[in-house]
Amino acid sequence: MKLSKQWDIEVAMVVAGALHFLYSCGRGCLLPFLTLYLRHLGLSAYMVGIVMGTRHLISLIWHPLSSLLARHHDKRRAVIIGSLVCSAALGLAFLLLPPTGEVTGVSVCNSTAPLFPRPTADLSNSVPVDHKTVSPGVVTAGVLSQVRLTMSAQHLTGMDTVGNAITTIAQGSSESGNTSPSVTVNVVRREKYSKGPMDISNNINGYVAPHRRAARSKTQVEEEAHFEFLGSLKGMDAQHQLFFLVLIVMGLWELVATPLEWTADDGLYEYLDFVDATEHHGRVWMWRLLGGACGVFGAGLLVSNLDCFLFGRASVPRSAVHFIGYALLMLVTIPEAVFLPLYLNRKQVRQRGGRTNNGVKALRVVKEDPRALLCAITACLVGVAGAAVEDFLPWQMQDHGSSEMHIGVALGMALLFQVVFPPLLRTGLVSRLLGPHGRLLLLGTASRALQCLYYSFLWSPWSALPAQVLDFLSVSAFWWSLEAQCKDVATPGTERAIQRIYQALALDLGAGLGSFAGGVVVQRFGVAVLFQGLAASLTLWCLVLGLLQWKIPRQRRINYSRLLAADASQESDSETDQERDWLDNALEEENGNNSNNHRNKYR
C-alpha cells in the first residue's frame, strides 16, 4: 500500500525563511555598496546611472520570462540552484575589473594610501619620485583633472618636472578658504629618457609624424584600414573601456541572478495554495527584510574596521569583502534551495496560456479602473525616487564624511523600521488613525518626498539616520496600500498578477528610469540637486493624486468569496436548526408514547 505524502507547513516555512534570509543577506552585503565601488573604480555619475538602469531593465524583461519558462519546463529547483552558483561566480568577476585611476570621489581610506594604486614597479628603479604634501586645501576632481592636463602638456613640451604646476594648483585651491586633511601628491621627475622630446611627441595617442607616415609601406596602410574598428576601441580612454566592461559583467550577473526570486516565490505559493495555507506566505517578506538588514549591517561594520588592502597586497582592496561575502552567502544558500518546498500542478501547466491570460486580465483591470491606474502611476514615480536614493544616497553620505559603517547602519535601520509596520497593522491602530488605504498611499508618497528633501541637506556622517524612520511609511505603508488596492479591484485569479504588475512598475521600470535620470542630473548638477528635484516632483504629484482621489467616486466591488462563506454558514446554521427541530420532535413523540404506555399499564 502506497503511503500518502505528508505536508508539514511549519518545516516548509522554516526552510523557505532560511533561504530568503540568507539570499537577502548576501544581496545586502553587496548591492547597497555597489555604486560606491563603481565610483572608486573611476566611473562618472552618468556611467553609474546607465549601469544600474540597465540592470533594472533586464529585470523588467527577464523576471516574468524566466519564471514562466521554469514553470513550463518544471525546472524550478534547477533554475534556483543554477542562479545561486552562477551569480556567486559572476559577483567575483567584478574584482577582475581594472581601475581607471580617475578620481571621482572622496576615498574612504586615509589620504596617504590610495584606494586603488596603479602599479609603478617598472618606473621605481629609473624614475625618482618626490612626495609633496599639500595642506590645507581641497584637491577636488576638477583640480586633479587640471593636474593631468598640465602633466600632459609638460610631457609634450619635454619639460623635466611638473611639480611647480601641481603646487601652483594646490596653492590656488588652498587660498580659496577650503580646509581638509593633507593630501599627498606623487610627482614624477623625468630625468633620463632614451628618446628625445620629438620622439615622444610623435608617438603620443597613436599620432605619427608626417615624415614617418610617408615612409610606411602600402601593406601597413592596408592592415591599419582593415583593423580600423579595433584601433578605435584601443584608442578609447581607460574610463570608457572600464564602463563597457562593467556594463557587460553587470548584464551577465543580472541575467543569472534575476530568475531566483520570482521562481522560488511562485513555487512556494503554489505549494501553500495546494494545502490551503496561503496565509503563511506573508511571513517570507519579514525574513527578507531581516536578512537584508543583517547583510548591510555586517558588511558595513566589517569593511570599515579593515585596512585599505587585504593580505598586505595593494592589488586586493578592502572593498573586495563585499563581493567575497556575497559569493559565500550564495553558496551557503544552496542547501536550503535543495530542500525548498516546491509544488507544480502539471494539469495547469498543460493548459495553454493560463498564466498569460491572467496577466492580460490583470493589465485590463488596472487600465479600466481609475484608482488602480492612479496606483500604477504612483508606483512608477515612487520607484524612480527609490532607485535614485539607493544609487546616490551613499555618494551623498560619503561626500559628508561617512564611511561604510555609517552607510551600513543607516540603510540597515531603514530596513528594520519596515519590519515594524505589519505588527502595528494587525492591531488595527494604523487603519483607525489613517483611514482608507488611498489616504495611506498619499501619505507614503509624501513621506518619500520628505526623505529626499532631507537627504539634500546632510551635514555630518550620522545625519542621515533620522530620515530612515520615515521608511515606516514611505516603503511599508506604501506597499500595503498597493496590496489593499489589488484586493479591491482584482477579479478571481488576477490578484497575484496585479501585485506583480505593481512590483514591476516600481522596482523595475520606475527604478530603471530613476537610475538613468539620476546619473544625468548628478553628473551635471550634483547629488543635492537630484534629491531636491525628486522632492519637488513627488510633492507636486501628491497634490494631483489627492485631488484625483477626491474627484473619482469610490466603487466597492462585491467580495464573492465572503458571500459564499456567508451562504455556507447560513446553510450550515439552517441545517443544524432543522436537525435540532427533528430531534426535539422525535424525543417529544417518544416521551409521549412512553407516558401513554405507562398510563395504560396501571389502568
Side-chain angles (χ1 to χ4, degrees):
M1 181 178 179
K2 186 178 180 180
L3 298 176
S4 60
K5 185 177 181 179
Q6 299 295 324
W7 303 84
D8 196 336
I9 303 300
E10 293 300 326
V11 173
M13 294 308 302
V14 168
V15 175
L19 182 139
H20 287 279
F21 177 84
L22 293 174
Y23 177 72
S24 300
C25 186
R27 293 176 70 87
C29 287
L30 176 59
L31 287 180
F33 306 95
L34 185 57
T35 56
L36 285 180
Y37 183 78
L38 298 179
R39 189 187 197 188
H40 296 157
L41 283 181
L43 295 185
S44 60
Y46 84 91
M47 292 179 178
V48 173
I50 292 174
V51 170
M52 301 305 291
T54 303
R55 168 179 167 264
H56 292 301
L57 293 185
I58 291 174
S59 299
L60 176 65
I61 300 172
W62 192 230
H63 257 144
L65 186 60
S66 60
S67 177
L68 183 64
L69 292 175
R71 181 176 184 269
H72 179 74
H73 296 285
D74 193 12
K75 298 294 183 182
R76 281 177 172 168
R77 198 175 304 277
V79 168
I80 294 171
I81 296 175
S83 176
L84 291 172
V85 175
C86 296
S87 62
L90 285 174
L92 294 176
F94 283 95
L95 299 177
L96 303 177
L97 299 175
T100 64
E102 298 284 338
V103 181
T104 57
V106 182
S107 175
V108 295
C109 293
N110 54 20
S111 58
T112 58
L115 185 63
F116 295 99
R118 306 187 73 175
T120 57
D122 297 334
L123 299 176
S124 60
N125 296 330
S126 59
V127 181
V129 178
D130 290 349
H131 299 278
K132 294 182 179 293
T133 301
V134 182
S135 178
V138 179
V139 181
T140 61
V143 172
L144 291 176
S145 63
Q146 295 178 13
V147 172
R148 287 192 292 270
L149 291 174
T150 307
M151 292 176 68
S152 300
Q154 302 296 339
H155 280 292
L156 288 173
T157 55
M159 294 182 64
D160 292 334
T161 62
V162 295
N164 295 331
I166 297 178
T167 304
T168 302
I169 295 172
Q171 289 177 354
S173 62
S174 62
E175 291 175 358
S176 62
N178 297 327
T179 58
S180 68
S182 61
V183 180
T184 300
V185 181
N186 295 334
V187 181
V188 180
R189 297 182 180 271
R190 301 188 303 108
E191 292 181 353
K192 295 181 180 180
Y193 288 94
S194 59
K195 297 182 180 181
M198 287 301 297
D199 294 330
I200 296 174
S201 62
N202 288 337
N203 291 281
I204 291 177
N205 295 328
Y207 172 78
V208 181
H211 66 276
R212 293 196 174 189
R213 189 184 301 120
R216 291 179 183 176
S217 64
K218 184 178 180 180
T219 305
Q220 292 177 347
V221 174
E222 291 178 355
E223 289 180 355
E224 289 184 1
H226 181 71
F227 295 102
E228 183 178 358
F229 177 71
L230 294 178
S232 63
L233 291 179
K234 291 182 180 179
M236 189 181 299
D237 61 295
Q239 191 179 33
H240 284 82
Q241 288 179 356
L242 177 65
F243 166 68
F244 283 108
L245 288 176
V246 170
L247 196 61
I248 292 172
V249 175
M250 178 66 74
L252 295 175
W253 179 62
E254 191 64 26
L255 283 175
V256 299
T258 295
L260 186 143
E261 190 172 353
W262 280 29
T263 303
D265 190 66
D266 288 340
L268 178 63
Y269 185 84
E270 291 183 4
Y271 174 89
L272 296 175
D273 185 46
F274 182 77
V275 295
D276 295 331
T278 53
E279 66 275 3
H280 296 281
H281 186 263
R283 290 159 53 181
V284 175
W285 179 75
M286 180 187 67
W287 289 111
R288 291 176 185 171
L289 294 177
L290 292 177
C294 291
V296 71
F297 265 131
L301 293 176
L302 178 61
V303 173
S304 61
N305 290 317
L306 295 175
D307 294 332
C308 287
F309 307 106
L310 303 178
F311 313 115
R313 300 178 60 185
S315 59
V316 185
R318 69 181 187 180
S319 299
V321 173
H322 297 296
F323 300 91
I324 296 173
Y326 172 80
L328 291 178
L329 286 170
M330 292 300 103
L331 296 179
V332 171
T333 314
I334 293 177
E336 285 75 14
V338 173
F339 297 101
L340 180 69
L342 300 173
Y343 177 77
L344 184 66
N345 192 342
R346 291 177 175 81
K347 293 182 180 180
Q348 294 181 358
V349 173
R350 296 190 189 100
Q351 296 177 359
R352 297 181 179 179
R355 180 65 62 88
T356 305
N357 291 335
N358 288 339
V360 173
K361 291 179 182 178
L363 287 173
R364 188 180 297 113
V365 168
V366 173
K367 181 181 178 181
E368 294 176 354
D369 191 278
R371 290 186 176 270
L373 189 59
L374 282 178
C375 288
I377 298 173
T378 306
C380 187
L381 293 177
V382 173
V384 169
V389 169
E390 291 176 2
D391 293 342
F392 297 105
L393 177 60
W395 288 34
Q396 178 78 337
M397 295 180 66
Q398 189 184 67
D399 291 340
H400 290 83
S402 298
S403 63
E404 279 91 347
M405 180 185 67
H406 303 95
I407 297 172
V409 171
L411 299 181
M413 290 294 293
L415 294 174
L416 291 180
F417 277 110
Q418 296 177 28
V419 181
V420 179
F421 184 78
L424 291 179
L425 188 62
R426 297 189 190 100
T427 61
L429 179 63
V430 176
S431 59
R432 289 196 299 268
L433 292 177
L434 302 178
H437 55 79
R439 192 180 304 170
L440 198 58
L441 177 69
L442 186 63
L443 185 60
T445 308
S447 300
R448 175 60 78 180
L450 184 59
Q451 275 184 316
C452 293
L453 182 62
Y454 182 89
Y455 291 148
S456 65
F457 296 105
L458 297 183
W459 64 92
S460 67
W462 293 106
S463 58
L465 281 180
Q468 306 305 85
V469 181
L470 290 176
D471 270 37
F472 170 82
L473 294 175
S474 63
V475 179
S476 295
F478 173 78
W479 282 107
W480 178 84
S481 62
L482 290 181
E483 292 180 1
Q485 182 67 34
C486 293
K487 295 178 181 178
D488 283 353
V489 304
T491 58
T494 62
E495 180 177 343
R496 188 167 173 80
I498 294 177
Q499 291 179 359
R500 287 289 173 83
I501 290 174
Y502 287 148
Q503 291 177 8
L505 288 174
L507 303 179
D508 295 329
L509 180 60
L513 297 177
S515 296
F516 286 131
V520 174
V521 174
V522 172
Q523 182 71 26
R524 298 191 62 179
F525 305 104
V527 184
V529 176
L530 170 65
F531 290 143
Q532 291 171 4
L534 290 173
S537 301
L538 290 178
T539 302
L540 180 61
W541 175 248
C542 286
L543 298 176
V544 176
L545 180 63
L547 180 62
L548 292 178
Q549 285 183 344
W550 178 60
K551 290 292 185 180
I552 296 175
R554 184 174 180 82
Q555 299 178 357
R556 295 185 177 274
R557 289 181 176 268
I558 299 175
N559 195 325
Y560 293 99
S561 60
R562 293 181 181 177
L563 289 179
L564 292 175
D567 293 340
S569 62
Q570 291 176 2
E571 291 178 359
S572 61
D573 292 338
S574 61
E575 290 176 359
T576 54
D577 292 337
Q578 293 176 1
E579 291 177 357
R580 190 180 298 109
D581 294 339
W582 174 83
L583 183 60
D584 293 338
N585 294 332
L587 290 174
E588 290 177 359
E589 291 178 1
E590 185 177 0
N591 291 333
N593 294 332
N594 290 334
S595 61
N596 292 333
N597 293 333
H598 184 72
R599 291 174 184 174
N600 293 333
K601 182 178 179 180
Y602 289 97
R603 277 183 180 178

